[in-house]
Amino acid sequence: MNFLHLFAPGGDRTVRYALSGAGGGFARTLLAQTLRIPRLRPAVLCDQDVAGLRAMLVELGYNASQLRICGDARAVRDAGQDGHLALVADGDLLIAGDWDILVEATGSPAAGYEMARQALTGGRHVAMVSKEVDSVAGLHLAELARTHGSVYTTADGDQPANLIGLVSWAETLGLEIVAIGKSTEYDLVLDPAAGTVTQLDTTVPAPELAGLLDLGDDVRSTLAARAAAVAALPTGATADYCEMAVVATSTGFRPDTERLHYPVARIAELADVYAMREDGGVLRRPGAVDVFSALRLPGEASFAGGVFVVVRTGDPVTWETLRGKGHVVSRDGKYAAVYLPYHLMGVETPVSLLSAVLDQRPSGGTDPRGHAVLAGRAERDLPAGTVLTMGGHHHDVTGVQAVLLRDEDTPAGTAPLYLAAHTTLAADVAAGELITVGHLADPDAALLDAWTAGRAARPAAGPVNGS
């Protein structure tokens, strides 16, 4: 697709955006790229550290004289009328600016939801980067967008939107998809000579892994041996589950197992790994959404942040031809993997912003539904009075294991994980027990209402994608 043709009807119109969580890493990539796009500009930026935000903007090359720190709605409006960029610490001030679309990137479930709600009910668009918000309130926000003539969308450059786009491409081509997913954030890099494997800045001994580089005849046994070899490294980041919950909502693909499979696999193996069990793979049923840990050697290309689809091949001659051109086809020829081994964060997000504002077209799913629930199981006995603190790089909830439940396997009253975040338990929760809404003493009322309303308005429509 030629993107210059795609957005040509927009003419010379400049798209203006507001950005929350503007001091974060994702926001920086968007702000840096915006300087290179004449038809896109920021209007109001929100971050609690306004001074730090201003310093970052100057570092990026924004004109310091055009940056105005604003403490009230009138100051925000005046900044816009003067052609200045308004910087605010209070998210409630965003709505006072003159802009077309909000990019919500705080990662805060309650605050992010409120800013998105204000934007949509005011007839403006929202590009949701905060998966934490989307996993709880996304269905309700999608319904608000529909009733107010606005667009609610995932953001290109982030893995959920990239995977949704890849799925829609495959479906448009009539490909029969059996599994979709992404890799973990960091590759597993094997050094055969040293007998070690490195994940980001952690290196552990794994001498047996060098002998497991080939899948062998028994794929599942090899995967189990690899998992044991790297057991000292963490797996199953909460952020992975959250992103796949967003994808499930938009695509109808659902988890094959609530903890996901997380196979340790090489790129060239994906079509063999994500085959049905009767064909030697890990899948119990088709239509799965999953995450794998990418195994590679030093110097090999990374898959960290990449997304994939695995399809049934159909005509064997066609796919043998494609195998010869370097595509990933299973050894038995029944499956093939197509992938994008990257995500560009905010560098790519302008595509979603232009699409939403100029063409009223989201990057997310066409009919989001409650196909899966991001929930949490207690990792240990949690007594009443425990505060479920959310924090860390992956926004983990202390003492809680994230799980992704299929809609039909979700007990009534199950709390979405990020509704539970920052709440206090009103009752004891035993190890292994799902956290329910009834366990929470003080859930955010607006977020709870959004969760309830969204599930009622957009329930799952029944099994889809063969799942």
Side-chain angles (χ1 to χ4, degrees), residues 195-277:
T196 61
V197 65
T198 299
Q199 185 183 55
L200 189 56
D201 55 2
T202 301
T203 299
V204 300
E208 61 273 42
L209 198 56
L212 297 169
L213 281 175
D214 187 271
L215 273 178
D217 295 330
D218 190 335
V219 171
R220 294 196 294 275
S221 292
T222 300
L223 294 177
R226 286 177 179 174
V230 300
L233 292 171
T235 189
T238 302
D240 292 339
Y241 291 96
C242 188
E243 290 187 328
M244 294 303 95
V246 173
V247 171
T249 294
S250 282
T251 64
F253 287 80
R254 301 182 294 166
D256 197 39
T257 177
E258 69 173 42
R259 290 287 299 272
L260 305 182
H261 287 292
Y262 280 100
V264 176
R266 309 190 74 185
I267 298 171
E269 300 168 346
L270 289 175
D272 288 288
V273 170
Y274 285 106
M276 301 304 299
R277 289 182 70 87

Side-chain angles (χ1 to χ4, degrees), residues 48-254:
Q48 292 180 341
D49 181 8
V50 179
L53 172 59
R54 186 182 187 280
M56 181 185 74
L57 291 167
V58 172
E59 180 186 346
L60 287 173
Y62 284 83
N63 187 336
S65 67
Q66 300 297 307
L67 306 177
R68 187 179 297 181
I69 295 176
C70 303
D72 56 43
R74 180 174 179 177
V76 172
R77 288 191 293 269
D78 289 346
Q81 291 171 0
D82 294 340
H84 291 179
L85 175 53
L87 312 181
V88 302
D90 183 354
D92 287 338
L93 295 179
L94 286 173
I95 203 69
D98 184 14
W99 44 267
D100 304 294
I101 185 166
L102 168 68
V103 183
E104 207 303 294
T106 62
S108 170
Y113 165 67
E114 180 57 23
M115 285 182 272
R117 185 198 66 78
Q118 289 184 23
L120 292 171
T121 55
R124 309 198 215 187
H125 311 298
V126 171
M128 182 57 69
V129 177
S130 297
K131 281 81 66 177
E132 301 83 356
V133 176
D134 210 350
S135 68
V136 181
L139 292 174
H140 181 56
L141 291 170
E143 192 65 16
L144 284 179
R146 185 188 67 80
T147 58
H148 288 86
S150 300
V151 172
Y152 177 73
T153 183
T154 51
D156 281 342
D158 217 5
Q159 286 164 299
N162 287 7
L163 182 51
I164 293 164
L166 186 60
V167 169
S168 67
W169 168 86
E171 290 177 336
T172 299
L173 294 179
L175 295 171
E176 182 186 351
I177 306 173
V178 296
I180 68 174
K182 53 162 273 188
S183 70
T184 55
E185 188 170 3
Y186 307 112
D187 295 334
L188 299 174
V189 184
L190 171 66
D191 184 340
T196 61
V197 65
T198 299
Q199 185 183 55
L200 189 56
D201 55 2
T202 301
T203 299
V204 300
E208 61 273 42
L209 198 56
L212 297 169
L213 281 175
D214 187 271
L215 273 178
D217 295 330
D218 190 335
V219 171
R220 294 196 294 275
S221 292
T222 300
L223 294 177
R226 286 177 179 174
V230 300
L233 292 171
T235 189
T238 302
D240 292 339
Y241 291 96
C242 188
E243 290 187 328
M244 294 303 95
V246 173
V247 171
T249 294
S250 282
T251 64
F253 287 80
R254 301 182 294 166

Side-chain angles (χ1 to χ4, degrees), residues 319-357:
W319 287 93
E320 281 306 307
T321 299
L322 293 172
R323 189 203 299 271
K325 293 182 178 294
H327 292 282
V328 175
V329 180
S330 63
R331 292 174 295 188
D332 63 9
K334 293 181 179 180
Y335 303 89
V338 182
Y339 58 91
L340 297 173
Y342 64 85
H343 73 306
L344 299 179
M345 301 179 68
V347 173
E348 199 175 359
T349 300
V351 171
S352 290
L353 307 187
L354 295 173
S355 179
V357 175

Side-chain angles (χ1 to χ4, degrees), residues 281-300:
V282 301
L283 297 182
R284 297 178 178 86
R285 47 201 164 188
V289 61
D290 206 71
V291 179
F292 81 102
S293 297
L295 175 64
R296 66 177 175 87
L297 298 174
E300 290 185 337

